Amino acid sequence: MDRNRRSELLARANSSELTAMAEAFLSRRSIAEEIQVVNPPEVGMVMMQVREPVCKERFHLGEVVVTRAEVAVAGVRGWAMRSGTDRETTLAAALLDACAEHDVELAAEVQALCERTADRIAADERREWEELRATAVSFEELD
Amino acid sequence: MNLAIDPEARRMPAKVAACRFDALESQAIFKVMLDTTSRPGLILDLPRRIVDRIPSALAPLVVLADVETRVHVIDTPTFAWSEAVTSATGARPAQLNKADLIAVPADGREHLTSIFTFAHPGSAFSPESGARLMIGVNDIRSHGTSDSAGVELVIRGPGVEGERGLCIDGLTEADVNAWRTTNSRFPAGIDVWLTTEAGRIVAIPRSSRLDVVATWPTQERK
């Protein structure tokens, strides 16, 4: 799992799961003594880009509220941005990102959390699609 | 719930804190950038409180950088700011030829000719993607004197009535030639701000035409 994918999944992971894992990592002396909050969580707006499906061009949909944070563990930086205003969960996500970069053993735990998140998102999307399927309309395309 | 992180560990590193400007500071720097860009070759001063806090060449970059920009800050043994800049602004670090914003400190000009050559000039269809360079130099004056070093330029173009002279200690003729070549396909090109340690700043946007009228032995690049 590359870092982009991990960041994407940490941004959508369940809040309680994230904070529980962050607390567990912080109970380790090797993490607690080496952590540095580089950027405390802060709330702001970022422009959301969407790629339209016809010409595949990006356009600006609008601004969304996000929270971002950055931490370092033994000098290894971790970063997270999540939609919404939940500061501590964003800080937890940044901590998990740093730990995953810093320690192979912790990286496996973070990856397992990310995989559970990916499975949940896929299941949610399948469920939503099942609800929408009844109203879907198929068009034939003319070249 | 709050994570059990030592309050001391929650304190922001000094360099990151130095790179975070409040609204008034950002506005003051941006105003200077606008004024210098609209009158190429005019020498102004960055706000004193900013120059006391971070290297002058970083101030314009930090003001323009955000999560949607890619930055390339040249680090040297005496100038290690790239991590602080990306942390403070959220901008992504990028290779030189892919960066939107580039900062070169006064002691990092060794490869300046290459930097002018490889900085991304954008294209005629996308001139806004041309890079902005912030370069630290030893000195900037409006005209050459007997103790000058570097190059004396004449600037012509939009924002300049007739022509304006500029003497820059810290650039070579080869640097200026590479810069002119990169800016030869207007509207594609790069916009440049030159700054001194004392906070003097001058802008030379891509629309300006540059001619070297005199050169002096370049002082030791420091």
Side-chain angles (χ1 to χ4, degrees):
Chain A
M1 182 178 293
D2 69 18
R3 197 167 189 183
N4 280 347
R5 179 65 176 152
R6 186 171 69 216
S7 292
E8 189 182 325
L9 292 169
L10 287 175
R12 298 185 65 183
N14 183 286
S15 171
S16 54
E17 255 190 300
L18 273 180
T19 46
M21 186 173 282
E23 288 288 6
F25 287 180
L26 283 169
S27 67
R28 299 174 183 228
R29 180 177 290 184
S30 61
I31 301 298
E33 290 180 355
E34 295 291 344
I35 187 172
Q36 165 79 56
V37 178
V38 180
N39 261 316
E42 60 182 347
V43 177
M45 309 280 280
V46 293
M47 186 60 76
M48 183 177 184
Q49 290 190 351
V50 174
R51 192 184 294 279
E52 52 83 16
V54 180
C55 295
K56 312 290 184 194
E57 287 182 355
R58 287 169 177 265
F59 68 96
H60 290 151
L61 181 67
E63 289 189 313
V64 293
V65 177
V66 296
T67 304
R68 73 167 172 136
E70 184 175 359
V71 304
V73 174
V76 178
R77 297 200 296 174
W79 185 88
M81 180 183 282
R82 287 172 57 93
S83 64
T85 60
D86 187 342
R87 289 177 166 82
E88 286 301 300
T89 304
T90 305
L91 187 60
L95 173 64
L96 265 50
D97 186 45
C99 289
E101 286 294 304
H102 171 62
D103 185 307
V104 175
E105 186 190 331
L106 301 185
E109 291 187 44
V110 174
Q111 175 152 345
L113 184 148
C114 288
E115 284 167 358
R116 287 197 298 278
T117 302
D119 291 345
R120 178 179 55 77
I121 292 169
D124 287 348
E125 287 176 349
R126 274 198 304 276
R127 193 177 313 113
E128 185 178 11
W129 177 240
E130 287 305 321
E131 288 175 15
L132 296 173
R133 184 195 292 276
T135 60
V137 178
S138 295
F139 292 98
E140 285 188 13
E141 291 182 11
L142 296 175
D143 289 330
Chain B
M1 102 180 243
N2 282 339
L3 294 173
I5 297 175
D6 181 359
E8 191 60 32
R10 284 184 181 255
R11 186 174 296 174
M12 189 182 288
K15 279 189 175 178
V16 177
C19 286
R20 292 172 66 102
F21 302 147
D22 65 28
L24 292 177
E25 290 169 338
S26 294
Q27 283 176 5
I29 300 168
F30 193 69
K31 175 77 164 57
V32 173
M33 294 174 72
L34 277 182
D35 289 343
T36 51
T37 309
S38 55
R39 280 165 281 182
L42 180 70
I43 305 167
L44 295 178
D45 290 298
L46 287 164
R48 187 74 247 164
R49 62 183 182 281
I50 300 297
V51 177
D52 290 341
R53 214 162 80 198
I54 66 168
S56 302
L58 284 182
L61 181 141
V62 170
V63 164
L64 297 183
D66 64 16
V67 292
E68 293 182 56
T69 53
R70 293 162 295 181
V71 301
H72 184 92
V73 176
I74 308 273
D75 278 341
T76 68
T78 58
F79 183 99
W81 283 84
S82 58
E83 281 202 352
V85 167
T86 53
S87 290
T89 62
R92 291 164 289 165
Q95 291 179 336
L96 177 72
N97 61 349
K98 293 195 168 59
D100 304 306
L101 305 167
I102 299 167
V104 186
D107 63 348
R109 298 192 310 268
E110 192 178 345
H111 304 294
L112 196 49
T113 308
S114 303
I115 291 168
F116 278 125
T117 302
F118 292 110
H120 185 42
S123 65
F125 288 110
S126 180
E128 76 283 1
S129 59
R132 277 102 180 157
L133 272 69
M134 293 72 182
I135 300 167
V137 295
N138 300 334
D139 195 16
I140 304 170
R141 300 183 191 184
S142 55
H143 52 81
T145 58
S146 58
D147 63 341
S148 291
V151 294
E152 184 171 354
L153 304 172
V154 165
I155 302 169
R156 298 182 182 85
V160 179
E161 190 173 355
E163 59 182 42
R164 185 174 280 141
L166 194 62
C167 189
I168 301 165
D169 174 6
L171 292 184
T172 65
E173 192 168 8
D175 296 335
V176 177
N177 288 337
W179 179 2
R180 286 169 43 155
T181 302
T182 301
N183 277 358
S184 61
R185 296 185 303 278
F186 185 83
I190 56 176
D191 305 305
V192 176
W193 282 268
L194 302 167
T195 63
T196 69
E197 198 176 328
R200 309 217 84 190
I201 181 169
V202 65
I204 306 180
R206 67 188 74 179
S207 57
S208 295
R209 295 191 304 279
L210 294 178
D211 286 305
V212 177
V213 294
T215 62
W216 295 279
T218 307
Q219 286 194 352
E220 191 68 25
R221 286 191 163 175
K222 56 186 183 181

